[in-house]
Amino acid sequence: MDDLKKYHETNKDRYLNELLAWLRIPSISADQKFKGDVEKAANYLADQFKTLGMDNVKIYPTKGHPIVYAEKSVSPDVPTVLVYGHYDVQPPDPLDLWSSPPFEPVIRDGKIFARGSCDDKGQVYMHVKALEAMMQNHSLPCNVKFMVEGEEEVGSNNLEIFCKEYKEMLDCDVILISDTSMISNDVPSITTGLRGLSYVEVEVTGPNKDLHSGVYGGAVANPVNVLCSMIDSLKDGNNHITIPGFYDQVELVSTEERASMNSAPFNEQAYKEELGIQAVMGESGYTTLERTTIRPTLDVNGIWGGYTGEGAKTVLPSKAHAKISMRLVPNQDPDEITRLFTAHFKSIAPAGVTVKVQAHHGGYPVVIPVDSIEYLAARQAMEKTFGKTPIPQRGGGSIPIVALFEKVLGVKSILLGFGLDSDDIHSPDEHFGLFNFYKGIETIPYFYQYYAQMKRDAPV
Amino acid sequence: MDDLKKYHETNKDRYLNELLAWLRIPSISADQKFKGDVEKAANYLADQFKTLGMDNVKIYPTKGHPIVYAEKSVSPDVPTVLVYGHYDVQPPDPLDLWSSPPFEPVIRDGKIFARGSCDDKGQVYMHVKALEAMMQNHSLPCNVKFMVEGEEEVGSNNLEIFCKEYKEMLDCDVILISDTSMISNDVPSITTGLRGLSYVEVEVTGPNKDLHSGVYGGAVANPVNVLCSMIDSLKDGNNHITIPGFYDQVELVSTEERASMNSAPFNEQAYKEELGIQAVMGESGYTTLERTTIRPTLDVNGIWGGYTGEGAKTVLPSKAHAKISMRLVPNQDPDEITRLFTAHFKSIAPAGVTVKVQAHHGGYPVVIPVDSIEYLAARQAMEKTFGKTPIPQRGGGSIPIVALFEKVLGVKSILLGFGLDSDDIHSPDEHFGLFNFYKGIETIPYFYQYYAQMKRDAPV
């Protein structure tokens, strides 16, 4: 692998500049205004694949944003790795909290600051450059396929259709995904679990028009007050979610696993200081690590209603809205949870209001086995480049597509992420360490090498 | 008064066109962007007074928006009427719910549709035109002073200073205000009470930045969820406000007054249909009329936090905000209520968040005696033009200045309003009936006439 090391050394600045150019394209999938930029970002990636000399490079249109596909075959006798990632990004707001514009990447303190720098353009680009290095040095030990979508941040609504339609084209031995984080740069880890997601938007309507709060106040249900009460009632005093049936399918994690999980390095004081909070807050009976991994949640992601401008307006609004998401754990079914939420939320609405519930995207939780050849290859690759055995760790986020791959393609994924929880993905000042970017590019080829080896040596 | 009738007939179209021109000026006091338009509206009124040949017409600047003053003296032996009103208007949003642009007045179904048509430009203009008619016909029986401010919708913050500074100039026998409503065009009424107001804005801060709800969800206090719980806790299951001490000063209305109040014509079915609601909702043990007049309230006028754009964003926001107002009844003190709210709201904040409370404007509740010469003159004037005795009725809204006048000028006000509760003031499609506009212009001179008479005949 020395040739690769040299190659990386010689080309690292170009690697970075190419990524920065990609980050300058505001590929915000949630907002139709940016549809053109999302396409531009797809084209940029496709051009990269063509330059690398990959085969069947194609941009597949969907009902939503397009999917970029490319492949390179070396031999029918070696395993095939399917790299999945996404080139779309979260909306950058609130914009005023960014130290520098989200789509004008800058390097500060050895980090790339830009929306998408870590989630997920930066991590996708590690794979592109690792592949370039292997191809340029004639050391690509596996067949490789890339499937990079533009709708991950809005629920990957069209990917299932795509996977079903192109099942054969996507045939592979393992799916490699870098869209997660490590514990720290000194404590490498591999994500062995993901939470699922149910995301709903609710609308509470009181009177058929905004009213004067003096003339009608006190006699007519105020949809904002009502929405607040309804949201409050979704959790009890122990921050236990009150939706009937919500916990029925929740997997009970063994005392042993909880113990080993809680033995992972975690400094609550540092955690609180990092977030500027006096105290953590969550479900009674569980640690912070458990609350963010093996337990489901219910969070309001957005709320609005009435007068939110400057000064004071004495209005009794007609409508109030909220976006509410629930993180799910094995074996909760997102569709079932969405059904339970909807039925319950409508059932608790008082007579003075009407309630609408709209389901956004959902995703299934997943657990990754730690005894598979795929996991062992990933572990060995990280050991090689970090000099430490990575810790298996469940993640709190959701990549709905991982469960989908198992269902549709029948293939397990490996979550080989190089970001950090402190990278502020989905927040202002999202960033990605140069150390992490380059470490990823260095580690990925070892995964290919060890994986090809292990498959070759594995008893058929 | 026949000359006046003829004069009105001949000039009614001009009356209307002059008002429409005034309504075209977006004098929104809550929004600094409209500061210039607020001034324009003040100038428009001042020019009207000059054209009428009034004396000492002057626009008094304040720390906020200016006050328009004008006067006309006929004799030291007749009483002086001070007309108070405001030329500023509420913000028009939500704009998309207007059938026609708020500042492009149109006449539909015999009503003037425009922001400010009823509250309060339209009602102020009735007084201007009534005065014109009396002056043109040499039948002005009282001295008259006009004081029209531009900050009523934002709390009249600078009017107290003005009243104290110009106490002598404002010396008068009665203050006449048309900024309230009647029960209906067939059931004239005079407002004999107003609710006070305490208006606060709260900010709840959790983490020091927006977070990924997957990575942190479940372990960190979500300020939106927390704000909802805090707001919910401000009322109990009977919609009784839980702020300690909140009801301590509330005047207990006698069973008799409650009975007579509830004998006023009120059709709850029609009320619900008008608002498009299945049920009314309010404090247990009180009727709708009581809930909107003799009982205090707590309403969220606006709430916002997190992601409110298109699509789904899985963010755990750093901050959540709400504008909350409380309508007060005799003898609640708005400053004291604001203190009680602030102390209580901070006391119920959980450890994971910090809370800020900012006080907007407040106002004292008032009660108008029904046995004064002033009230009797108003009642007789309405009897004359409506052919019915007006019903004394408490209003649910707040005109903080009325209590202020009593305190600073030592003069009682008469609330001779010609609007209707259904005029959608503070709402989209605010309107004012032409019937009401012209009926006001017709009624006001009778008040002057009867008032001068009664004062002359009254035992000194």
Side-chain angles (χ1 to χ4, degrees), chain A residues 287-319:
Chain A
T287 65
T288 293
L289 277 174
E290 291 169 338
R291 289 166 173 170
T292 54
T293 54
I294 61 167
R295 297 300 292 173
T297 68
L298 185 150
D299 273 299
V300 180
N301 304 109
I303 191 167
W304 68 102
Y307 181 68
T308 59
E310 190 188 341
K313 185 172 194 278
T314 50
V315 62
L316 194 164
S318 169
K319 290 178 184 297

Side-chain angles (χ1 to χ4, degrees), chain A residues 90 195 208-210 213-214 219 222 229 232 274-275 281 299 301 303 305 307 309 311 313 315 323 327 427, chain B residues 90 195 199 208-210 213-214 219 222 229 232 274-275 281 301 303 305 307 309 311 313 315 323 327 427:
Chain A
Q90 280 277 318
R195 289 198 283 192
N208 53 15
K209 61 193 170 194
D210 285 6
S213 70
N222 179 324
S229 299
D232 171 72
E274 156 83 14
L275 301 177
M281 184 173 170
D299 273 299
N301 304 109
I303 191 167
Y307 181 68
K313 185 172 194 278
V315 62
K323 295 175 191 272
R327 297 285 173 174
S427 304
Chain B
Q90 279 277 320
R195 289 197 283 192
Y199 199 115
N208 53 15
K209 61 193 169 195
D210 285 7
S213 70
N222 179 324
S229 299
D232 171 71
E274 157 83 14
L275 301 176
M281 185 173 169
N301 303 108
I303 191 166
Y307 181 68
K313 185 172 195 277
V315 63
K323 295 174 190 272
R327 297 283 172 175
S427 305

Side-chain angles (χ1 to χ4, degrees), chain A residues 240-259:
Chain A
H240 211 69
I241 294 156
T242 57
I243 299 166
F246 185 84
Y247 290 98
D248 288 0
Q249 305 306 319
V250 170
E251 168 202 53
L252 289 178
V253 178
S254 69
T255 327
E256 295 67 31
E257 190 174 343
R258 286 179 65 179

Side-chain angles (χ1 to χ4, degrees), chain A residues 6 10-11 20 73 205 253 283 304 328 400 405 432 443 450 452:
Chain A
K6 270 199 224 71
T10 334
N11 296 282
L20 298 188
S73 297
T205 304
V253 178
E283 188 182 5
W304 68 102
L328 310 179
F405 289 147
F432 189 40
T443 305
Y450 297 140

Side-chain angles (χ1 to χ4, degrees), chain A residues 309-374:
Chain A
E310 190 188 341
K313 185 172 194 278
T314 50
V315 62
L316 194 164
S318 169
K319 290 178 184 297
H321 304 79
K323 295 175 191 272
I324 300 173
S325 67
M326 291 154 282
R327 297 285 173 174
L328 310 179
V329 299
N331 302 300
Q332 291 177 293
D333 176 326
D335 301 331
E336 174 63 10
I337 292 297
T338 301
R339 267 193 301 276
L340 291 174
F341 176 93
T342 305
H344 176 65
F345 202 73
K346 288 182 170 175
S347 74
I348 60 176
V353 304
T354 56
V355 169
K356 275 195 212 146
V357 179
Q358 176 205 352
H360 283 297
H361 62 284
Y364 284 79
V366 287
V367 175
I368 310 280
V370 296
D371 52 6
S372 68
I373 285 182
E374 290 73 23

